[in-house]
Amino acid sequence: MLNDPARSTTLFEKLWDAHQVMPIAGGGLILIDRVLLHERTGGIALQTLAEAGRTVAAPDQVFATMDHVVDTLPGRADVTMMPTGTDFIRATRVQALAAGITLFDIGDPGQGIVHVISPEQAIVLPGVTLVCPDSHTCTQGAIGALAWGIGSTEAEHALATRTLRVLKPKTMRITVSGRLGRGVTAKDLALHILASYGASGGKGCIVEYAGQAVEALDVEARITLCNMATEFSAFSAIIAPDEKIFAYLKGRLYAPKGAAWHAAIAYWRTLRSDPDAAFDIELAVDAGSVAPSISWGTSPQDAIAIDGIVPADAAARPLDYMGVAAGAKVLGLPIDAAFIGSCTNARLSDLRRAAAILDGRHVAPGVRAICVPGSTAVKHAAEAEGLDQIFLAAGFEWRESGCSMCFFAGGESFGARERVVTSTNRNFESRQGPGTRSHLASPETVAASAIAGRIADPRTPER
């Protein structure tokens, strides 16, 4: 369906109209350009499809990786800490090879967390539709794509038909004016939005992030911001592509080349909301009001400034679970562990910023500190810069890439009642292990806290 040039439309509506095969009640049948899979659900989807006698319609547009249940310890293989992890890995390998799709296997230089490797290889591009059976697929909207998470059954349908029936979400624009302050990151902005508007604030919406502060973010920071739209209950998130995005994509493995690149750039420059386009919901954030932030409870919306206090009216259950007090600070609470990783904050820029704080310092006694790069490419790039040596000298474990202890499904976890400062995206009860207390924060806050042995302000790291 072609866009009506006389109608002012949002970026989302432009992409929806360009991909709508036919309208349906409340939504449309949408053409799917890319399908991403991982070993936790991908092998099952491919196997079920094959058992039904169906084939993958466009195998050259389907990509699978080993990331969710694979171990991240050096020397890893198919055998994992998750009891059934080996079965998931081997089934995905067999089915991917049989289907003729691209697989980034253990040991492959392209392997990594699905939402990290897709942008870094230019699998995701501005203007495409992309789906993956993972709730954080919204991450990839930072490139200017319409990307959203689906279930395994929907993945089978997309693989077989290149289409999906989708209910059309409402449109929301969050305009972030001004500039973020010193030491304030995209992760802090995401937590600030969640604390301000609640974990259900974006329910049923496609969120477009806009404004001076968003435009000032580098590409990887935009990826972090869009990543946590699922914690906002949004259908997805998107940021209009600009020259930063084009420069980031140029020359990457799956980016257009030659004349196709110039044609793509010409099209990508049209991918913006019209100046007078109407959104269903408009929200505004003053970047100057955002501080380094940390979660105190068991929902990502339970977040405060690093030197703020837990709300006086906080519910009893999260207070009890987290071992914090209403009306008190979490700043200074002793910690047991620090984790840098996940599809939220494990890219090269994240590791560089954390390493800048760790350089010449050491993790406090009794604190277990782990760094898991988001992809094999990130790991190798970090090692080429000597970042791994900074992490190791500071007392961090340096791992292979994968989802790792972002969540407990991989089989490895932190201990019960252990307090962990983590760069991940979810702090639900037992998310990082049975009874583990997880505080969401930026990589800088994780690094500063690891050094101090307690929750610390990244703007004033201790020596």
Side-chain angles (χ1 to χ4, degrees):
M1 177 178 176
L2 297 177
N3 290 313
D4 178 357
R7 182 169 64 100
S8 293
T9 54
T10 66
L11 171 56
F12 161 71
E13 289 166 333
K14 293 178 194 293
L15 299 185
W16 178 277
D17 290 348
H19 289 83
Q20 183 172 259
V21 177
M22 60 179 292
I24 60 170
L29 185 67
I30 304 300
L31 176 68
I32 305 301
D33 295 318
R34 309 276 191 276
V35 180
L36 305 184
L37 303 171
H38 55 76
E39 85 282 24
R40 194 179 181 208
T41 57
I44 295 171
L46 290 168
Q47 182 175 337
T48 304
L49 193 69
E51 290 173 349
R54 299 185 176 92
T55 58
V56 176
D60 60 328
Q61 300 301 316
V62 181
F63 303 83
T65 188
M66 305 294 192
D67 65 352
H68 270 59
V69 302
V70 67
D71 282 351
T72 58
L73 294 169
R76 66 183 176 188
D78 289 359
V79 177
T80 73
M81 295 185 185
M82 179 182 177
T84 57
T86 301
D87 296 334
F88 283 110
I89 291 168
R90 292 177 177 170
T92 299
R93 181 179 298 129
V94 169
Q95 296 301 326
L97 294 175
I101 69 173
T102 300
L103 172 65
F104 303 110
D105 207 340
I106 298 170
D108 190 296
Q111 179 273 338
I113 302 173
V114 64
H115 308 306
V116 176
I117 66 171
S118 179
E120 75 181 9
Q121 297 187 41
I123 294 169
V124 62
L125 295 169
V128 306
T129 51
L130 180 150
V131 295
C132 175
D134 185 279
S135 62
H136 287 100
T137 307
C138 54
T139 305
Q140 303 188 51
I143 304 298
L146 179 53
W148 70 97
I150 58 175
S152 294
T153 301
E154 288 178 300
E156 294 170 34
H157 194 281
L159 289 166
T161 70
R162 294 198 67 196
T163 63
L164 278 177
R165 178 174 178 167
V166 184
L167 294 177
K168 193 172 185 178
K170 293 180 179 179
T171 56
M172 173 188 288
R173 178 164 57 189
I174 300 180
T175 302
V176 188
S177 60
R179 295 185 178 276
L180 295 174
R182 180 182 67 85
V184 181
T185 71
K187 178 64 163 291
D188 302 310
L189 176 58
L191 290 172
H192 178 88
I193 290 170
L194 281 159
S196 299
Y197 297 106
S200 61
K203 187 175 182 180
C205 295
I206 171 84
V207 176
E208 179 174 339
Y209 293 107
Q212 181 184 11
V214 173
E215 293 170 3
L217 295 175
D218 64 33
V219 174
E220 294 188 349
R222 296 179 191 186
I223 291 172
T224 294
L225 180 60
C226 286
N227 174 269
M228 294 191 69
T230 191
E231 278 68 51
F232 198 44
S233 301
F235 168 78
S236 190
I238 195 166
I239 297 174
D242 59 11
E243 298 302 320
K244 290 182 180 179
I245 296 293
F246 309 154
Y248 173 88
L249 294 172
K250 188 174 183 179
R252 293 182 184 267
L253 183 59
Y254 292 101
K257 305 294 191 298
W261 170 258
H262 297 293
I265 288 285
Y267 169 59
W268 294 346
R269 288 194 172 118
T270 71
L271 299 179
R272 306 191 69 81
S273 292
D274 295 329
D276 54 349
F279 289 79
D280 294 310
I281 303 170
E282 293 264 17
L283 300 178
V285 174
D286 174 11
S289 68
V290 183
S293 300
I294 192 163
S295 68
W296 60 265
T298 55
S299 167
Q301 72 179 2
D302 298 336
I304 53 176
I306 190 70
D307 57 355
I309 61 172
V310 177
D313 60 351
R317 177 162 178 158
L319 292 173
D320 180 65
Y321 181 87
M322 292 297 295
V324 299
K329 291 185 176 184
V330 298
L331 185 68
L333 286 178
I335 67 169
D336 301 287
F339 180 79
I340 295 176
S342 87
C343 60
T344 313
N345 280 127
R347 295 170 180 82
L348 185 59
S349 59
D350 296 312
L351 304 190
R352 285 171 174 160
R353 297 195 315 272
I357 290 176
L358 295 173
D359 196 11
R361 300 178 171 96
H362 198 277
V363 170
V367 174
R368 184 185 184 193
I370 301 171
C371 180
V372 181
S375 71
T376 297
V378 168
K379 180 176 184 285
H380 290 168
E383 290 171 349
E385 295 183 11
L387 301 184
D388 61 319
Q389 295 306 308
I390 294 175
F391 277 95
L392 289 167
F396 268 74
E397 296 178 38
W398 181 254
R399 299 288 195 93
E400 301 291 338
S401 68
C403 294
S404 191
M405 286 189 281
C406 172
F407 70 131
F408 181 44
E412 190 178 10
S413 68
F414 294 106
R417 303 179 75 81
E418 285 191 340
R419 192 176 303 282
V420 183
V421 183
T422 175
S423 74
T424 54
N425 43 46
R426 289 180 177 167
N427 55 340
F428 305 152
E429 292 185 17
S430 301
R431 170 75 176 181
Q432 292 189 288
T436 300
R437 296 165 166 169
S438 301
H439 293 271
L440 306 179
S442 69
E444 291 94 323
T445 298
V446 176
S449 300
I451 293 164
R454 56 185 179 273
I455 295 174
D457 191 326
R459 296 168 296 189
T460 54
E462 298 183 10
R463 287 203 172 271

